[in-house]
Amino acid sequence: MSNVLILGANSDIAHALARSFAEQGHGLILASRDMDRLQRNAADISVRYGVQVWPLSFDALDMESHKAFHQSLPVRPDGAVCAIGHIGDQNAAQTDFSAARRILDSNYTGCVSILNLLAEEFQARGTGFIIGISSVAGDRSRAANYLYGSAKAGFTAYLSGLRNRLARAGVRVLTVKPGYVDTKMNLGLNLPPALTAQPERVARDILRALARRRDVVYTTRIWFWIMLAIKLIPERLFKRMSI
Amino acid sequence: MKRTISGFGNTPRVEAEITKAGGLRDLQAWFSATREGLGVGLRQSYGDACLAHAVLDMTGMDRFVDFDPVSGALTCEAGVTFRDINRHFVPRGFFPPVTPGTERVTLGGAVSADVHGKNHHQAGAFGSHVLNLDLCIPGGERLAVDPRNSPELFRAVAGGMGLLGIITLVRFSLLRIPSAYVVQRNLAAGCLRELLELFEEHSKTTYSLAWIDSRAGGRQLGRGVLTLGEHAQPDDLPPRQRRSLFLLRPQRALGVPFTLPRWAPNPFKLRLLNTLFYQAQRHFGGTRVVDYRSFFYPLERIASWNRLFGPRGLVEYQFVAPIESAAACLEAVLKTVQASGLGSFIAGLKLFGPENDHLLSFPLRGFTLGMDFPRTPALDPLLDRLDALVLDHGGRLYLAKDARMSPEMFRRGYPRLGDFLAAKAAVDPQGRLSSLQSRRLFHV
């Protein structure tokens, strides 16, 4: 029976993913900051699916702690999911660099820090998978959220390079690009219901992509076409748009 | 968020301010912000027992907390449903000791209505299987309640319709089952007397329920089919099912996506439906092995079947008559319903065991009959007449189904109301927990 490490486990997508993995019989190492909430979720998944679940405290921003965290995992994970993300406040981040840094560290640097450690481990043993939850926002940045977008763009590029490095070692790297998802991160944004997916649907798409050995998956699929169209808009035009 | 809500019968309807609870902090916040209201689950009570102008939706508190496979003790948040439990525990060989006729009931709701199933004569009501529970009272305080250490409070909470506090956690023992299947046996009875005799003859059987053709009159008054059930042992199963005792294929539900218009169903259709149903049960009777869903939740195959009753909704009239007077009471009730010409397709009859000590619990030793009627103006005088008959024979009505009984009818049926109100005053002195039903019946 294999064990999956999920970083940022309290997020809605991560929680749905954890349940889906548990349903398939995998053990789970759940890592997040809010231990109270995490422990309740861990107990629920453990009782519901009869699998072993370890809740652990983990802070993406406290990068000094990542090495110790990695070394002291209760079991060696067969695969890892990076679901750490923070949408932040674009307006504040434009003037206050600490807010900007927080966005960049939560969505890029902090993820790089922990994934570097896991990548070394997985490469050395020659098996495993890494799932990175990036975003369609990383495909092309726009005025409304370019700090988040640029961090995700960096994360997508990191995962792509990692995939190239680890392919020879037999380790899979899957880049997940969700579009609009109905989660607490997006609470308050009025997302068009027709394009907004439920976390359970995203989790299903991710597991299916993993099973089919895909490299990149947009969820829901329509976002592949939406982003393709957006990417094709010439910069000359795009810079004047407000989407 | 303001929305119009109703119970399962779709009548009455009320505009309510709905707040969803995700955790205990939400309960405390709600109590601070709300003068008067009620904690609710999936609102499957038929009438106004689950309605108030301010409701706290507990369905988001749906986590499992702990399970002990040796004792079968399961601890869950109150928003966990029987569906969740069955989905995750039937495959492991466990089942609720008492289950209502639908899976869409939360544990909080099941305790608050002290629900019963097809095995009350053997296993009693759900509340009797609760080991302990957590109750959040209007002050914001969380109390641990159990039958041994806090009996007065527990007796009021079990069957207390959510009026003492909001249940947040429930711990109860699951039953070990030998397979996910049930050996079902159908026995036809040509009249009421025969049917009641069959019940007595098979009172040692774990599960029993009879469908009555409430339209049949004269010498066939009360004709019906008694369905008996026992959990299937591996030896009872054909080879294919014996190989996977607990795994079932997902059931496809037939939905009723819209409410049927006013003109359907009419009395003629009902008589025909009833007769066909009776004949079908007779001919496909005998003994067969069915999966647990078909046995325990037969109506669930047709999701939203309450919509078949049209926009006016449906009213379920469920009463219990004590064993000494049950035959006479049932006969009188069936004759009165028959004479009125008002339809009742689904009429279910169950045998109850002795009363427990939960103050507002419905079951007592005797027979319970439940009938569904489309809501029409002609219904009220009929139900008032039935109330008189039920009272004359020493019976009472089920709060979870009721939408219209009088305070007088209620008081006479539930003599322990005084003790209940005293227990309520102790934890909710300002009367901050109330439902439309509680205000109607005892002005609190």
Side-chain angles (χ1 to χ4, degrees), chain A residues 39-235:
Chain A
Q39 266 155 356
R40 281 172 58 215
N41 284 341
D44 174 60
I45 294 175
S46 175
V47 171
R48 210 178 263 267
Y49 300 103
V51 296
Q52 198 160 12
V53 182
W54 295 270
L56 296 177
S57 177
F58 176 76
D59 187 349
L61 299 176
D62 181 8
M63 293 174 238
E64 312 286 310
S65 70
H66 290 182
K67 190 154 184 203
F69 170 83
H70 175 246
Q71 278 168 351
S72 61
L73 289 173
V75 285
R76 301 323 305 170
D78 298 279
V81 178
C82 180
I84 300 163
H86 170 65
I87 199 152
D89 182 344
Q90 169 71 29
N91 285 328
Q94 278 169 203
T95 50
D96 172 11
F97 187 66
S98 66
R101 167 167 260 152
R102 197 187 163 84
I103 296 177
L104 301 178
D105 286 349
S106 304
N107 294 295
Y108 180 65
T109 329
C111 301
V112 168
S113 166
I114 182 66
L115 288 180
N116 269 359
L117 297 163
L118 288 161
E120 281 292 306
E121 178 186 352
F122 290 6
Q123 179 173 38
R125 74 178 184 210
T127 60
F129 63 84
I130 292 175
I131 299 175
I133 304 199
S134 184
S135 168
V136 296
D139 280 12
R140 190 165 197 175
S141 269
R142 51 197 178 95
N145 65 357
Y146 63 84
L147 279 155
Y148 176 77
S150 69
K152 285 299 194 185
F155 189 50
T156 297
Y158 172 81
L159 291 168
S160 170
L162 197 64
R163 182 162 38 245
N164 186 210
R165 165 190 165 194
L166 295 177
R168 301 155 237 279
V171 178
R172 276 179 291 149
V173 178
L174 170 64
T175 306
V176 180
K177 293 181 178 179
Y180 292 148
V181 188
D182 183 17
T183 66
K184 51 187 207 283
M185 188 178 86
N186 291 331
L187 209 60
L189 305 173
N190 288 324
L191 303 177
L195 291 176
T196 307
Q198 290 301 312
E200 290 71 34
R201 169 70 192 274
V202 172
R204 261 204 340 261
D205 284 352
I206 294 173
L207 283 180
R208 197 171 333 139
L210 187 69
R212 291 180 184 174
R213 316 186 92 84
R214 300 274 309 274
D215 299 317
V216 180
V217 61
Y218 284 82
T219 163
T220 52
R221 280 196 68 197
I222 193 166
W223 283 93
F224 171 78
W225 300 103
I226 296 174
M227 295 321 291
L228 183 62
I230 290 185
K231 280 188 284 193
L232 289 172
I233 300 172
E235 189 68 0

Side-chain angles (χ1 to χ4, degrees), chain B residues 130-150:
Chain B
V130 171
L131 299 166
N132 56 270
L133 57 88
D134 280 1
L135 185 75
C136 194
I137 59 176
E141 219 189 314
R142 193 156 51 112
L143 304 173
V145 185
D146 73 84
R148 220 144 44 110
N149 298 313
S150 32

